[in-house]
Amino acid sequence: MVLNIGIIGLGFMGSDHVKRVATRINGAKLAGVCDLKKDLAEKYAKKYGAKVYENGIDLIDSPDIDAVMVVTRPHETHEQFVLHAIEVGKYVFCEKPLTLTAAGCKKIVDAEVKHGKRLVQVGFMRRYDPGYVEIKEAIDNHTYGEPLLIHATHRNATVDETYDTSMSIIETAIHEADVLHWLLGEDYESGTTFLPKKQTKFTHSKLHDPQIITLDTKSGVHIDLEVFVNDQIGYDINCSVVCENGIINLRSPFVTSVKKGLHDSTYIPADCTERFKTAYDLELQAWVNGVLADKITGPTSWDGLVAMVTCDALAKSRDNDAKRIPIVLPDSKPALYE
Amino acid sequence: MVLNIGIIGLGFMGSDHVKRVATRINGAKLAGVCDLKKDLAEKYAKKYGAKVYENGIDLIDSPDIDAVMVVTRPHETHEQFVLHAIEVGKYVFCEKPLTLTAAGCKKIVDAEVKHGKRLVQVGFMRRYDPGYVEIKEAIDNHTYGEPLLIHATHRNATVDETYDTSMSIIETAIHEADVLHWLLGEDYESGTTFLPKKQTKFTHSKLHDPQIITLDTKSGVHIDLEVFVNDQIGYDINCSVVCENGIINLRSPFVTSVKKGLHDSTYIPADCTERFKTAYDLELQAWVNGVLADKITGPTSWDGLVAMVTCDALAKSRDNDAKRIPIVLPDSKPALYE
Amino acid sequence: MVLNIGIIGLGFMGSDHVKRVATRINGAKLAGVCDLKKDLAEKYAKKYGAKVYENGIDLIDSPDIDAVMVVTRPHETHEQFVLHAIEVGKYVFCEKPLTLTAAGCKKIVDAEVKHGKRLVQVGFMRRYDPGYVEIKEAIDNHTYGEPLLIHATHRNATVDETYDTSMSIIETAIHEADVLHWLLGEDYESGTTFLPKKQTKFTHSKLHDPQIITLDTKSGVHIDLEVFVNDQIGYDINCSVVCENGIINLRSPFVTSVKKGLHDSTYIPADCTERFKTAYDLELQAWVNGVLADKITGPTSWDGLVAMVTCDALAKSRDNDAKRIPIVLPDSKPALYE
Amino acid sequence: MVLNIGIIGLGFMGSDHVKRVATRINGAKLAGVCDLKKDLAEKYAKKYGAKVYENGIDLIDSPDIDAVMVVTRPHETHEQFVLHAIEVGKYVFCEKPLTLTAAGCKKIVDAEVKHGKRLVQVGFMRRYDPGYVEIKEAIDNHTYGEPLLIHATHRNATVDETYDTSMSIIETAIHEADVLHWLLGEDYESGTTFLPKKQTKFTHSKLHDPQIITLDTKSGVHIDLEVFVNDQIGYDINCSVVCENGIINLRSPFVTSVKKGLHDSTYIPADCTERFKTAYDLELQAWVNGVLADKITGPTSWDGLVAMVTCDALAKSRDNDAKRIPIVLPDSKPALYE
C-alpha cells in the first residue's frame, strides 16, 4: 500500500520534504504539490511525477491525496490548512511551529478533540534524532540516575534581516521547548529569557543576539539554553544532561576527521537539514507508517500548544527584564493525547 | 511505481535486508521470500505481506517478482541464483562475496556480458557509507593532494567456530579489497598477508588471528590492513588516508558521549549492520532507484571478480610466508563495466 | 641562587606543595615546615632535609627562611600569617582563598600598600594552566572577535560532610570568580546564585548541590557556571568562551585513549592536584623566579579581595532568592596593583 | 645540593636543554656551556650566569662542572665527549643517537663496563612521556591482556635539504626503535624497511619519503611504523597498542579546542620540543635527581647500542628490497645494565 502525499509550501523546508517523500520514504508517493510560486510547484511536479494544485484547500480536498503536509511560510498560514484537513478528516503533518499563537494551537486541539481522533502530527523532528533518542532512553531507564540539569545551545551560522528578536524564541528555542520536556517526561514550571548587554557585531538592529533562556521543570530540573543565531561557525546544537551518576552529551555527527596545518578537525553541519537529516527521514517514515496503519504516534497538536505556551512565557520574561514567568498550560490534557 | 522484490536467504544479513526493503526503502515492496528454513520464510512473509517461494529458482522465475536479492549462505550458493537471474533477464542484487572463486565470478561476468546489459549489483555497501564517500570526494578533488598511504583496520568483536583462517581474507578483508581501490580509483599491483607469531587467546586452532595484509596499487600507494576478528571491543573499522597535504580519517559514528566514573566515552558499534546501517540503506535505495530507472550504477560483477582475484593473491601470500604476490586481473575490463 | 622556602600547613594542598618545592621547582629548596600535626612536619622534614618549626610565626621569623608559603586550614588562619610576613617584609605565597572575608582581604591589601611593595601572591593557579593561558591569548588577540558568553562548569567527584552550601561559592566557585574576569580583562557588574529544586541524592542536608551561578561583566559578557561537587565522575572543569567568530573550549588533558567493551574512552582527572598539576608547577616556578628577581607578577592581594567581594555578592544572591546583586569593589585599585 | 651542569652543543636541542636546566629543573644549575659558535655560548652564558668553555673537553675536565650534557651536531661528535666523560668519571647525558654506528656504541658500553659504574644516560625522552608511561603500565599490568600488534606513525611537518633517506631511520625511527621494545619489555627478532613507490612532492631527490618499517619482537608482537617527515601537518606521533582485551592509543596533548568556520579542531604540535616538552622536563629532572643520588636509572648505553643495531638492520632491509633482516644483539647484556 502506498500513501499519496500532498505537500503545501515548497520553500526551504518544503522542498527538503518533497525530496524526502519522493525518494527516501518507504510506502510514500509524492502525489501533489502547491505553492504561491507556481513555477516552483511545476518544477517539483514535473521532476517527481506529481500533480500541481491551485491552492492548499484544493489539494487537501482532492480525492487523489491521502494525507497532507503543511510547510507554508509565514507560519500563521499553517492554521487554516491544518483546520481544513481536520474538517475533511485527513491526516496532516504540520511543520513547527503549529501556529504562531497559543490561541491558534488551542483552536486546532479543540477541532481535533471534537473530531475524536488524532489527525495532526507536528514537525518536532528532534524527537526522532538518534542522539536525543539515546538520551531519552538513558533518562527513562535511569541509567545515570536522576537528571538534575540540562545545558543546551542552539546556534545557527547566520540568519537574514527578516529574523528579529522574537524569532530567537518562536523560531529557534521552540525546538528545545519541545524536546527537552519530552526528554525529561515532565512539564515546565517556569522560564526566563535574558538579553545579555554584549551582542555580536554580526547581528542587526532588530535582533538581540545572543539570548539566554532558562527553564525549570515541575520536579525542579534546571535548564539553561543559549540561543545564538549568528555564530559564524555553523549549526551547532548541544545538549548535556547532568545526572546524579553521569553526564550524557548529545554529539554532532561527523563521518571523517582531517589533520591539516597543525590542526585535527571534524565537521560542523551548516544547517538543520544537514544536522537532522536522519531525524527528518525517521520522522517522515514514522508518520507514513502511522498513517498507513491508521494510528499516528508522533508529536501532537497538544505538544504544539505546549511549545507555544512555553514560548509565550519566555517572550513575556524577555519583555520584563528576565523576570521568572510561570508556564501554565490550559486546564488539562485531553484524553486523546494520553 | 513500486518494485516488487524477492529475497533469497533469510539469515543474519538476509533478515536485515528484509526489514530494510519492507520498511525503509522508497519505491520498494517486499513481494517474496524463500529460505531453506521454511518457518523463517513464513514468519517474514506473514509479517510484511509477502509470498513464500519453495526455492530461489521459483522465486526468480515468478512473474510477481520484479527484482531479486541473493543473500544465501554458504556463499557458493550465490552463483547459481545470480546466473539464473541473468538468464531470465532480471535485476539481481547479490551480497558479497559474489562467489567464492575467481572462476565463478568470471562465469557471471561472462554471462552478463553475453546478455549485453548490467543486471548484477554486488553488496559492497561501504561504497555508500557517508564516511568513505567523503574520503573519495577528497581524493577525487585532490583536496589534500595525492594519496600516499592508507592504514586500515577491520576488527570484529568476535567470530564463531566455523570462521577459519581463510575467512579473514575472503569474508572480512574482501571489504577493504573492494573499497580501498575504489577510493583510490586504480587497480592493485601486488599484495601480502603476514601471520604474526603472537595471536589472541580468544581465537581457536583453525583461525590465525590477527592477520596483517598489505596492498600496493599500480601508482604505488601503499596500504596496510589489520584484520582482527576477536578484538573483544566491537566492530571497529578504521581507514586513514595519508595524503601530501593532509590526512583524512574515517570516523566511527556516535550520537552521544558519556562522562562516568573518571571516563568520557563514546560508543563503538557492535557489528556491521549497526556500523553500516546508513550505508546499507543508501545502497538498497540506490539499487531500487536504479532498477526502476532501468540503469543500475552500483558495484558490478567485475568489481566482484576484482575483489576475488585480490583475495586469491592475498591467500597465496599467506600460504607462502608473506611473499609479495602480483595481483593480475583477466585480460581487460569489458566495455559493459566502464 | 637558591630560595629557602618555608611551608606552613601540610594538609592535602600543603603536602602537594611540599613535594613540588622539594623536587620539581628550579631554584627552590624546601628549608622549613610546620603543622599543628607535629608528626606530619617531622615526616616531610626528614624526607626532604628541611627543618621543623614550632609554629608559623617562628617559621616566618627565621633567618633561614627566605620566603613563606601559607597553606593552612581552616582558611581563616591565613590572615595572621600573611600579615606577619608583610610585617617582617618577606615574600609570602598564600593558597586561595586569601581569607574568608572581604574585610580580612582588605586588611592585607592595606598592610601591603602601607609596606609599599608587593609581597603577597595568591594561589589562583588556573591563571598558569596552559589551557586558560591559550584562551586568554585568544581573547587578548581578538583571534575570534569579541567574547560574548562564557559557559563554565566546576565539578568535583565528591566532597566530605564538612563541606556545606556556602562552600560551593567560597571554596569552589571562587576559582572561576578569579579566572574568568582575568580571562576577560574586566571587572564584574553583578552576579546571581540559583539553587535548583532538584538535588543529587549524593549530597547531605547541609549542602545544596548542584548550584547555578551567573556573572555579568561591566562590558556585558554573560557567564553561567555550574557548581556540582558530588558529580561521581571526577574533577570535571569546563570553560567555553563564545566569541563573535568562534568558540574556544578548555579541554581536560589526557594522554591516552582506550577502546574496550564497545567504548572508546579518555580519562577524567580525579581531583585538582591531578587536573592542574602543570598549572601548580608553573605557578610555583613563576613565584620562585619572581621572588629571586625581587619582583613577583602573579595574582595579588587585590585579586584575592576581588574574588572575595564577588563571592559575597553571590552568597547574598543565594540567600535572596537568586536576586541579581551588584558586585561593588572598594573605592579604587591601589597603584601597587596596576 | 645543587648540580652544576655543563652543556656541550647549543643548537636546536641544546638551546632547549639550556633553558630547561637553567629555569625548570629542581636541583640543577647551568654552570657551563660551549659551542663552536662562540657568540651562541656567550649569549646563553650571559643570560643564565654560566661560564663559557673553549671546547667540550675543557668543559668536561673543569672542576666547576659536576655533570655533562652532550648535545652536539653532527651526531658522530657525541662519541669522543661521552668517552672522555667516562674516562674522568663524570655523569654524562647524551642526546640520541648515542653515536652513529653500532661499533661506536659498543665502544662506549665497553668503556662504561670497564669503569664499572653507570655514568651514561641516553636522551630517549619518550620513556618519560606520560602517554607512553601510561601505556607501559597497562602492558606491564596486563590491563588489556597480552599486546599483539602495534601501529605507530612518526611524522614531521617538514625537514631541510640535509635530511636524506638514511635519516628517516637513524634520526627519526630510532625513537620508536627504542621506545617500542621498552614498552613491550622484550627484544626485537627482525625488521623490514619498505620504500613505497609513491612519494610526496614535498620531498627532494636525496630523500625517499614516506617509508614503512616493520619490527617483530621475540615473542611475536608485530609492529608497523610509518615514517613521514614532510607531512605538512605537524609533528604527529601516534602509537596504538592492540591487546587481546582492548586497544590503548597514545594521544597527542592539547589544552583547548576551537569551533570556527564549520570545523571543531584541536591543535597538533609543531615539533618534538613542543610535543614532548613534559617528557624532556621529566627526563632531565630524573637525570639530575639520579646524579645527585649517585644512581641513575634512565636509558643506558646498552639501550643506545640496541637502538643502533636495530637501525642497522632496518637500513640493510631498505637496501635489500625490504627483505626481513634479523636483529642480532652483541653476545649478552652486561650485568651493569640489568
Side-chain angles (χ1 to χ4, degrees), chain A residues 48-256:
Chain A
Y48 296 115
K51 187 177 161 189
V52 175
Y53 288 86
E54 273 304 299
N55 56 59
I57 300 299
D58 283 4
L59 181 148
I60 295 170
D61 287 338
S62 166
D64 298 337
I65 299 297
D66 300 328
V68 179
M69 295 180 71
V70 177
V71 205
T72 49
R73 304 281 309 238
H75 297 320
E76 46 265 45
T77 58
H78 291 175
E79 192 175 327
Q80 55 170 323
F81 297 123
V82 172
L83 286 173
H84 190 70
I86 294 172
E87 205 178 309
V88 303
K90 282 193 184 174
Y91 282 106
V92 56
F93 176 97
C94 181
E95 256 309 328
K96 62 100 228 176
L98 181 51
T99 70
L100 282 184
T101 63
C105 292
K106 189 63 170 49
K107 222 152 95 180
I108 291 170
V109 163
D110 290 344
E112 200 177 22
V113 167
K114 193 177 155 207
H115 181 82
K117 177 184 165 185
R118 275 202 61 191
L119 290 176
V120 182
Q121 177 165 331
V122 181
F124 288 127
M125 81 292 184
R126 293 199 188 177
R127 297 191 185 195
Y128 294 90
D129 176 70
Y132 282 112
V133 167
E134 209 163 283
I135 293 176
K136 181 156 179 60
E137 284 171 1
I139 292 175
D140 288 352
N141 297 332
H142 308 282
T143 310
Y144 309 107
E146 287 289 300
L148 303 171
L149 303 169
I150 294 182
H151 304 297
T153 75
H154 189 144
R155 297 177 183 139
N156 286 54
T158 188
V159 290
D160 64 31
E161 292 280 316
T162 67
Y163 188 108
D164 67 20
T165 292
S166 72
M167 292 180 176
S168 297
I169 293 173
I170 216 139
E171 278 280 333
T172 301
I174 192 172
H175 275 298
E176 275 80 11
D178 177 68
V179 81
L180 299 183
H181 87 91
W182 169 78
L183 277 182
L184 295 168
E186 59 169 329
D187 288 327
Y188 298 121
E189 176 73 27
S190 64
T192 71
T193 301
F194 176 74
L195 303 181
K197 192 163 81 183
K198 200 156 176 191
Q199 297 183 59
T200 176
K201 70 178 176 201
F202 295 105
T203 191
H204 55 83
S205 62
K206 299 263 174 57
L207 170 60
H208 197 106
D209 189 41
Q211 302 182 20
I212 299 290
I213 285 168
T214 71
L215 290 162
D216 287 83
T217 66
K218 296 287 185 193
S219 79
V221 175
H222 180 71
I223 296 164
D224 52 58
L225 166 65
E226 170 200 330
V227 178
F228 185 18
V229 294
N230 286 292
D231 74 3
Q232 311 296 307
I233 66 170
Y235 186 72
D236 188 33
I237 305 302
N238 296 281
C239 176
S240 178
V241 183
V242 180
C243 301
E244 291 174 313
N245 274 315
I247 298 174
I248 181 162
N249 298 296
L250 188 71
R251 295 292 293 262
S252 180
F254 50 80
V255 295
T256 63

Side-chain angles (χ1 to χ4, degrees), chain D residues 132-323:
Chain D
Y132 282 113
V133 167
E134 209 163 283
I135 293 176
K136 181 157 179 61
E137 284 171 4
I139 292 174
D140 287 352
N141 297 332
H142 307 283
T143 311
Y144 309 109
E146 287 290 301
L148 304 171
L149 303 169
I150 295 182
H151 305 295
T153 75
H154 189 144
R155 297 176 184 140
N156 286 54
T158 188
V159 291
D160 64 30
E161 292 279 316
T162 66
Y163 188 107
D164 68 19
T165 291
S166 73
M167 292 181 174
S168 297
I169 293 172
I170 218 140
E171 277 281 335
T172 301
I174 191 173
H175 275 296
E176 275 80 12
D178 176 67
V179 82
L180 298 183
H181 88 91
W182 169 77
L183 277 183
L184 295 168
E186 59 169 329
D187 287 327
Y188 298 122
E189 175 72 27
S190 64
T192 72
T193 301
F194 176 74
L195 303 181
K197 192 163 80 183
K198 201 157 174 188
Q199 297 185 59
T200 177
K201 69 178 175 200
F202 296 103
T203 192
H204 55 84
S205 63
K206 299 262 175 58
L207 170 59
H208 197 108
D209 190 40
Q211 301 183 18
I212 299 290
I213 285 168
T214 71
L215 289 162
D216 287 83
T217 67
K218 295 287 186 193
S219 80
V221 175
H222 179 72
I223 296 164
D224 51 60
L225 165 65
E226 171 199 329
V227 177
F228 184 19
V229 294
N230 286 292
D231 74 4
Q232 312 295 309
I233 66 168
Y235 186 70
D236 188 34
I237 304 302
N238 297 282
C239 176
S240 177
V241 183
V242 180
C243 300
E244 290 174 313
N245 274 314
I247 299 174
I248 183 162
N249 299 295
L250 188 71
R251 295 290 294 260
S252 181
F254 50 81
V255 294
T256 64
S257 65
V258 171
K259 292 185 177 183
K260 186 158 185 278
L262 299 182
H263 286 91
D264 190 354
S265 70
T266 56
Y267 182 69
I268 297 171
D271 62 33
C272 65
T273 58
E274 194 177 337
R275 168 64 181 87
F276 287 111
K277 179 173 185 296
T278 299
Y280 283 116
D281 283 2
L282 293 171
E283 172 193 56
L284 257 290
Q285 187 66 67
W287 179 62
V288 168
N289 292 352
V291 172
L292 287 173
D294 201 22
K295 183 175 173 44
I296 58 175
T297 57
T300 66
S301 301
W302 180 259
D303 294 320
L305 170 60
V306 168
M308 197 49 59
V309 168
T310 304
C311 287
D312 284 351
L314 295 175
K316 190 168 170 192
S317 172
R318 178 197 64 218
D319 297 338
N320 286 276
D321 202 20
K323 197 182 157 190

Side-chain angles (χ1 to χ4, degrees), chain A residues 146-148 151 155 194 197-199 201-202 216 218 220 222 226 232 242 244-245 247 324, chain C residues 146-148 151 155 194 197-199 201-202 216 218 220 222 226 228 232 242 244-245 247 324:
Chain A
E146 287 289 300
L148 303 171
H151 304 297
R155 297 177 183 139
F194 176 74
K197 192 163 81 183
K198 200 156 176 191
Q199 297 183 59
K201 70 178 176 201
F202 295 105
D216 287 83
K218 296 287 185 193
H222 180 71
E226 170 200 330
Q232 311 296 307
V242 180
E244 291 174 313
N245 274 315
I247 298 174
R324 181 172 303 276
Chain C
E146 286 290 300
L148 303 172
H151 305 296
R155 298 176 183 138
F194 176 74
K197 193 162 82 183
K198 200 157 176 189
Q199 297 183 60
K201 69 179 177 200
F202 294 104
D216 286 84
K218 296 287 185 192
H222 180 71
E226 171 199 329
F228 185 19
Q232 312 296 308
V242 180
E244 290 174 311
N245 274 315
I247 299 175
R324 181 172 303 274

